[in-house]
Amino acid sequence: MTTALVLGGGGVVGVAWETGVIAGLAAAGLDLRVADLVVGTSAGSVVAAQITSGASVPELYDRQLAPPTGEIAARLGGAVLLRYLAATTRRTDRAALAHLGRSARRARTVPEAERRAVIAGRLPRHEWPTSPRLLITAVDATTGEEVVFDRDSGVDLVSAVAASCAVPVVWPTVTIGGRQYMDGGVRSAAHVDLATGHDRVVVLAPTTVSLRRSGRVATEIAALGPSVRSVLISPSPAARQAMGRNALDPARRAASAEAGLRQAAEAVDAIRAVWP
């Protein structure tokens, strides 16, 4: 029997909420870090890299409660959302993402090095783990193709996570090997499909929607097949209120982590029914 933990995107508040949930479950005796596979997309890539770093769960949770020094506030404004909407009118998924990537590559944002430093500061360790297997998702900003980084990709962990978190137009695309990459969340909210072949799957998803219908979390979970035991945990109404409307607001980090910790108590039974 093999297990997979899938961590979806949701901005800086999503990082905090997921960390809170994981901390609450660990306190109840459910350690999700023992998964055979961990998949991280966008915010989930940060959490995935953190929980596989060897740092203790309480330490990671306490980091979310600390003042968000070193973070950069941003907002997904109306103009940005209109660009995302325009991208969905393209005929194919890849064409839509390539169109969005063109906007991302041309956008005026903070310098790439500055954003990379923020990501580096979030990670307790900058080396890929030897175990469990860790997958980090991104999208080629030129071709619109999905890219999955792992320890054998020849890409350093900070660059992989920075690419996965490169929200188009908001944050700079990340340059790796002469190519530019953007947020893996524009293809799929969580990339549950990468857990195919595993018997038990737990999905923590701050958001369950996607630019692509096939990339929606519920659709991907259903596609795993009837023999797979899975559970999806997304923010409760109380957690959503704590997280606020701006997923990129570091000021909401502590409240989001605390909300995740509280919600974990409600999710224990559902996860225990799936997790060995």
Side-chain angles (χ1 to χ4, degrees):
M1 179 174 60
T2 57
T3 57
L5 172 62
V6 180
L7 301 167
V12 68
V13 300
V15 172
W17 175 80
E18 289 181 1
T19 304
V21 172
I22 290 170
L25 293 174
L30 285 172
D31 189 355
L32 298 184
R33 297 176 301 166
V34 301
D36 297 299
L37 172 72
V38 178
V39 179
T41 294
S42 196
S45 72
V46 174
V47 180
Q50 289 177 338
I51 66 172
T52 58
S53 69
S56 72
V57 172
E59 175 189 346
L60 295 174
Y61 178 73
D62 287 344
R63 286 168 65 117
Q64 296 302 314
L65 301 183
T69 55
E71 292 286 346
I72 306 172
R75 176 176 291 277
L76 281 171
V80 174
L81 295 177
L82 283 175
R83 291 191 188 188
Y84 289 5
L85 181 62
T88 64
T89 64
R90 302 286 156 167
R91 292 183 178 178
T92 66
D93 290 337
R94 187 174 296 178
L97 295 178
H99 177 75
L100 185 58
R102 189 177 305 115
S103 295
R105 288 183 284 118
R106 294 174 179 175
R108 293 183 179 181
T109 64
V110 300
E112 181 181 341
E114 185 175 339
R115 174 62 177 166
R116 188 186 294 262
V118 171
I119 299 299
R122 291 178 180 175
L123 307 185
R125 183 179 177 184
H126 294 172
E127 295 78 33
W128 288 89
T130 55
S131 180
R133 187 183 182 204
L134 172 60
L135 303 181
I136 302 295
T137 68
V139 170
D140 188 307
T142 301
T143 65
E145 294 177 288
E146 174 193 19
V147 178
V148 181
F149 298 113
D150 63 15
R151 68 190 307 266
D152 298 321
S153 299
V155 175
D156 67 276
L157 182 60
V158 173
S159 293
V161 174
S164 191
C165 293
V167 180
V169 185
V170 176
W171 302 125
T173 54
V174 172
T175 307
I176 301 174
R179 301 197 66 82
Q180 292 176 282
Y181 296 90
M182 62 182 179
D183 198 314
V186 298
R187 178 194 174 273
S188 167
H191 288 86
V192 182
D193 55 308
L194 294 177
T196 299
H198 291 75
D199 305 299
R200 308 291 182 93
V201 180
V202 170
V203 183
L204 303 185
T207 180
T208 58
V209 298
S210 174
L211 291 178
R212 306 162 64 252
R213 289 185 179 180
S214 58
R216 294 171 183 171
V217 174
T219 302
E220 291 185 339
I221 289 177
L224 291 175
S227 64
V228 176
R229 297 184 65 179
S230 64
V231 60
L232 166 64
I233 306 298
S234 57
S236 64
R240 290 195 181 282
Q241 184 174 8
M243 295 163 79
R245 295 184 178 182
N246 180 14
L248 306 180
D249 183 4
R252 291 275 187 172
R253 194 171 74 173
S256 300
E258 291 169 344
L261 187 75
R262 289 190 296 269
Q263 188 176 349
E266 305 168 7
V268 166
D269 290 341
I271 294 179
R272 186 170 279 136
V274 169
W275 205 246

